Amino acid sequence: LVTWSINSVCHIWGKRTFKSRDKSTNVWWLAIPSFGESWHSLHHAEPTSARHGVLKGQIDLSAVFIRTLEFLHLANDVRWPKPERLERKLVDSSMAPRIRGYKKAA
């Protein structure tokens, strides 16, 4: 049911925060049952990223699990999103300060 919801609900309803070739969106109420996969807008904009909940307040349990595996040396070469790359893909550039790890260019 959760997988169906991600692949259906997140392509119909929700908020689109990142530019991608489709209209995938984020659905906040699916974040916990989907372990963060409902931050679907970034998943389609950056499909190889280990984290999809990159904005402050976005719960991404999959990313926590992957970070733990990395810490235990059970995962390596993990692709974590780069804030400056994410900033360029935002639909609304005023949201850039909400990106985790974002630092305004001097």
Side-chain angles (χ1 to χ4, degrees), residues 48-92:
T48 62
S49 174
R51 167 177 277 150
H52 298 125
V54 296
L55 300 178
K56 292 176 183 167
Q58 290 182 335
I59 298 167
D60 189 341
L61 299 175
S62 292
V64 172
F65 182 68
I66 293 167
R67 182 76 75 191
T68 302
L69 291 175
E70 191 177 40
F71 176 78
L72 296 171
H73 303 285
L74 297 172
N76 54 37
D77 297 325
V78 177
R79 293 182 182 188
W80 296 103
K82 293 182 176 28
E84 51 285 346
R85 183 174 166 94
L86 297 177
E87 180 180 13
R88 291 191 305 269
K89 293 189 174 204
L90 280 169
V91 171
D92 177 1

Side-chain angles (χ1 to χ4, degrees), residues 12-27:
I12 298 171
W13 299 288
K15 183 173 178 161
R16 186 169 183 249
T17 51
F18 291 94
K19 299 169 193 164
S20 65
R21 286 185 270 154
D22 63 12
K23 300 292 183 192
S24 54
T25 66
N26 297 329
V27 178

Side-chain angles (χ1 to χ4, degrees), residues 93-105:
S93 61
S94 70
M95 292 183 68
R98 294 194 57 218
I99 296 172
R100 290 185 190 143
Y102 175 80
K103 290 181 179 53
K104 189 173 181 174

